[in-house]
Amino acid sequence: MADRAHPRVRLRRRLARLAVAGVVALLLVSAPWAWTQITAQGHLYAESGAPVADVVIVLGTEVAADRSQPGDRLAGRLETAAALVHDRRARVILVSGDGGGASGDEPTVMTSYLTGLGVDPRRVVADPFGLDTYDSCARAREVYGVTRALIVTQSYHLSRAVTLCRRLGLDVDGVAARCAGCAATLLAEKAIRDYFASGKAAWDAVRRRPPAVRSPADPAVQDALRGS
């Protein structure tokens, strides 16, 4: 039988169905983000309250336009990691980024900047194949033998980083990085991007994808710890 309901009633029904579909879609999109937030609870710290670990992992991001200095976000991460070493909350820094990135060689820039902050270069190990957060976590464990670490990145990214590393078998605690030169609009933009990136993170974690670049075991972190 044809629907003889009043047009206004039919419209309300359609709107109600659309609202339900919208809520369901929002829940599906939000589930991976919620997973990262819940999993990271109890493992997130400010710099001043960070626990102690032998290794601190610094995640790479864009370098400055001159390709020799870090951008504001990367500088904040490196300054935080250097402070952790100077405060004896960590002994060795593993800088993990894209050695052939569009903005420049992230690990080389990171290493140089840390040296300028007074970190002994013998305490810095560079992974040029940390092409994304998942790869950085996977390679820290599989290639460099890291099982316990602090991980440093900005707060909008921290829960996802901690969750991925812990999912991959690293006992990590996250430390929120400084970001003195970062505009509020930039941080908001990155937070939105990270919200949607949680879907890929969940998919990578579920299927346990291998890192994009596979490498043999590298004793550099252990050697640096012995020498520190």
Side-chain angles (χ1 to χ4, degrees):
M1 180 181 293
D3 185 354
R4 297 180 180 178
H6 191 279
R8 290 183 180 177
V9 174
R10 292 199 299 271
L11 177 60
R12 285 197 294 269
R13 288 174 181 171
R14 291 193 187 100
L15 291 174
R17 286 195 290 268
L18 287 172
V20 170
V23 169
V24 170
L26 180 61
L27 289 174
L28 289 174
V29 170
S30 298
W33 175 84
W35 167 66
T36 66
Q37 302 301 304
I38 293 168
T39 303
Q41 286 300 306
H43 301 287
L44 306 176
Y45 295 87
E47 180 187 318
S48 59
V52 174
D54 282 342
V55 179
V56 54
I57 302 168
V58 183
L59 299 175
T61 189
E62 293 176 340
V63 304
D66 66 2
R67 302 174 76 88
S68 66
Q69 294 292 315
D72 289 336
R73 288 178 297 137
L74 187 53
R77 298 177 191 186
L78 296 167
E79 289 160 9
T80 302
L84 293 172
V85 170
H86 294 322
D87 291 344
R88 299 184 179 180
R89 296 178 187 270
R91 296 164 56 202
V92 169
I93 302 176
L94 174 60
V95 294
S96 183
D98 189 348
S103 68
D105 184 342
E106 295 171 8
T108 296
V109 171
M110 294 162 82
T111 301
S112 176
Y113 194 74
L114 285 169
T115 301
L117 293 173
V119 177
D120 185 338
R122 293 172 296 180
R123 290 177 177 246
V124 182
V125 176
D127 178 8
F129 299 117
L131 306 184
D132 60 16
T133 305
Y134 182 96
D135 283 16
S136 291
C137 292
R139 288 177 55 84
R141 180 167 174 78
E142 295 175 11
V143 178
Y144 296 96
V146 178
T147 57
R148 163 73 184 142
L150 304 177
I151 190 163
V152 172
T153 185
Q154 272 74 36
S155 56
Y156 64 79
H157 180 207
L158 199 56
S159 291
R160 179 162 63 93
V162 167
T163 296
L164 281 174
C165 279
R166 296 189 72 83
R167 175 74 178 182
L168 290 166
L170 282 79
D171 176 15
V172 300
D173 289 307
V175 181
R178 307 172 188 181
C179 203
C182 298
T185 52
L186 173 66
L187 295 178
E189 174 192 330
K190 295 300 181 182
I192 293 170
R193 177 187 177 280
D194 205 77
Y195 172 84
F196 289 104
S198 297
K200 178 180 181 299
W203 177 236
D204 285 342
V206 166
R207 63 193 178 100
R208 301 283 292 198
R209 77 159 172 88
V213 178
R214 306 298 294 268
S215 304
D218 188 331
V221 168
Q222 304 308 317
D223 290 345
L225 287 170
R226 282 191 289 269
S228 64

